[in-house]
């Protein structure tokens, strides 16, 4: 069943974005294969495909779903309004970024179908590899019928192969959503302040979420070792100094340093 199509600004490196996201999805509920993205919504499977001419996402489902919510989620996930020309104007003069921008025009921070799921995966991914985070996410899915705040609060998250403090942070965050202390419909300043009050949400984590959720295009986790190495500097202070020239687009500089080879 066709749900609708979504115009996409170009350049739009669809397959690269899919490949990047395939290592960061929610097992069981999301999959990437055959040049398409699929998402389980209730008992329905939503499929997102890309058509280059005209540039658009084509969204379909195996049954009835909320069309407005589904199209909004697909738009959010793939950042269809990404303005590469604006990003290029701000960043192309920088030595660490110039060739990366040329190598992959249109790269962007991918969003999330579910902001809650992204936060959960980000907590699970702290101080472990991307692959290890995927393993932990799969174990959580095995303990939950669905990745919702209520299910995570009720789940037995012991013996998942992570520190007890991280397991506690996971459920503390889920409880904060159940209680209404964290509300993603609020401004990012309000969300950021609410997250800061919870265990497991230090400066790096909140900056990363601001980037992935598309809430602050100048967010920049300067302590990230991957960014430090990619920029070929020695310390977070040096990186911050270098990144002053990237304002107010430091979030896009971060994704290019993380994901695109020079």
């Amino acid at each position: 069943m066709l749900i609708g199509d979504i115009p996409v600004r170009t350049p739009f490196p669809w397959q690269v974005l899919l490949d990047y996201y395939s290592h960061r999805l929610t097992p069981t509920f999301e999959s990437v294969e055959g040049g398409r993205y699929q998402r389980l919504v209730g008992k329905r499977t939503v499929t997102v495909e890309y058509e280059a001419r005209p540039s658009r996402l084509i969204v379909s489902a195996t049954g009835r779903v909320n069309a407005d919510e589904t199209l909004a989620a697909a738009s959010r996930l793939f950042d269809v309004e990404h303005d590469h020309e604006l990003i290029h104007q701000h960043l192309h003069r920088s030595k660490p970024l110039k060739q990366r921008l040329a190598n992959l025009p249109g790269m962007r921070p991918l969003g999330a179908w579910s902001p809650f799921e992204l936060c959960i995966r980000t907590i699970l991914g702290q101080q472990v590899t991307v692959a290890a985070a995927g393993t932990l996410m799969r174990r959580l899915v095995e303990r939950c019928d669905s990745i919702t705040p209520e299910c995570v609060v009720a789940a037995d998250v012991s013996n998942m192969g992570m520190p007890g403090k991280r397991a506690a942070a996971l459920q503390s965050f889920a409880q904060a959503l159940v209680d209404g202390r964290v509300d993603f419909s609020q401004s990012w300043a309000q969300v950021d302040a609410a997250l800061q009050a919870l265990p497991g949400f230090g400066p790096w984590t909140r900056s990363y979420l601001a980037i992935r959720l598309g809430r602050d295009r100048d967010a920049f986790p300067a302590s990230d070792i991957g960014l430090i190495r990619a920029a070929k500097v020695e310390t977070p202070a040096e990186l911050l100094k270098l990144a002053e020239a990237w304002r107010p687009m430091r979030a896009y500089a971060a994704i290019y340093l993380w994901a695109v080879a020079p």
Side-chain angles (χ1 to χ4, degrees):
M1 175 185 294
L2 178 65
I3 304 301
D5 57 71
I6 306 167
V8 180
R9 298 180 72 160
T10 58
F12 186 63
W14 173 243
Q15 193 57 53
V16 173
L17 294 172
L18 286 183
D19 291 345
Y20 185 80
Y21 193 71
S22 68
H23 301 289
R24 294 161 174 84
L25 46 72
T26 301
T28 301
F29 294 96
E30 295 180 301
S31 64
V32 168
E33 60 180 315
R36 65 185 64 179
Y37 165 84
Q38 291 189 312
R39 167 81 196 194
L40 193 62
V41 178
K43 296 182 179 180
R44 313 297 189 190
T45 298
V46 173
T47 299
V48 182
E49 301 172 276
Y50 178 61
E51 183 176 279
R53 295 184 180 178
S55 180
R56 59 179 179 159
L57 296 179
I58 301 173
V59 184
S60 59
T62 55
R64 290 190 179 278
V65 295
N66 184 305
D68 290 341
E69 289 182 2
T70 301
L71 294 174
S75 299
R76 182 173 61 241
L77 173 57
F78 293 107
D79 190 11
V80 297
E81 291 294 331
H82 177 82
D83 188 343
H84 176 72
E85 292 304 317
L86 180 63
I87 306 306
H88 185 270
Q89 288 173 16
H90 278 85
L91 303 180
H92 79 279
R93 295 181 182 86
S94 171
K95 184 177 179 180
L97 297 172
K98 183 177 181 178
Q99 192 57 51
R100 286 178 165 90
L101 286 158
N103 289 347
L104 190 59
M107 187 59 182
R108 72 223 37 216
L110 286 170
W113 193 277
S114 161
F116 176 71
E117 283 179 19
L118 174 60
C119 292
I120 289 294
R121 186 184 174 93
T122 301
I123 295 172
L124 293 176
Q126 290 170 346
Q127 299 180 337
V128 300
T129 65
V130 172
T135 297
L136 290 171
M137 196 69 175
R138 176 178 54 77
R139 291 173 183 168
L140 180 62
V141 168
E142 291 169 352
R143 289 161 168 78
C144 298
D145 293 330
S146 59
I147 305 299
T148 63
E150 294 79 8
C151 287
V152 173
V153 167
D156 179 4
V157 296
S158 61
N159 301 314
M160 278 181 54
M162 62 181 173
K165 285 186 177 180
R166 195 167 305 154
L170 198 73
Q171 292 186 306
S172 173
F173 166 64
Q175 187 65 57
L177 267 86
V178 172
D179 297 344
R181 286 177 286 135
V182 175
D183 180 355
F184 287 107
S185 69
Q186 294 180 326
S187 71
W188 180 249
Q190 291 171 299
V191 174
D192 185 67
L195 293 178
Q196 188 174 4
L198 299 175
F201 287 90
W204 183 94
T205 299
R206 299 196 320 278
S207 291
Y208 177 78
L209 290 173
I211 294 171
R212 286 289 308 278
L213 293 172
R215 301 296 296 270
D216 182 358
R217 64 185 185 181
D218 200 41
F220 194 69
S223 64
D224 186 272
I225 190 64
L227 295 180
I228 291 170
R229 289 173 176 168
K232 296 184 177 180
V233 295
E234 299 295 328
T235 67
E238 287 182 65
L239 181 58
L240 279 172
K241 183 177 180 179
L242 178 66
E244 277 300 307
W246 304 338
R247 287 185 181 275
M249 301 290 178
R250 294 185 302 174
Y252 297 98
I255 194 64
Y256 269 98
L257 290 172
W258 273 327
V260 181

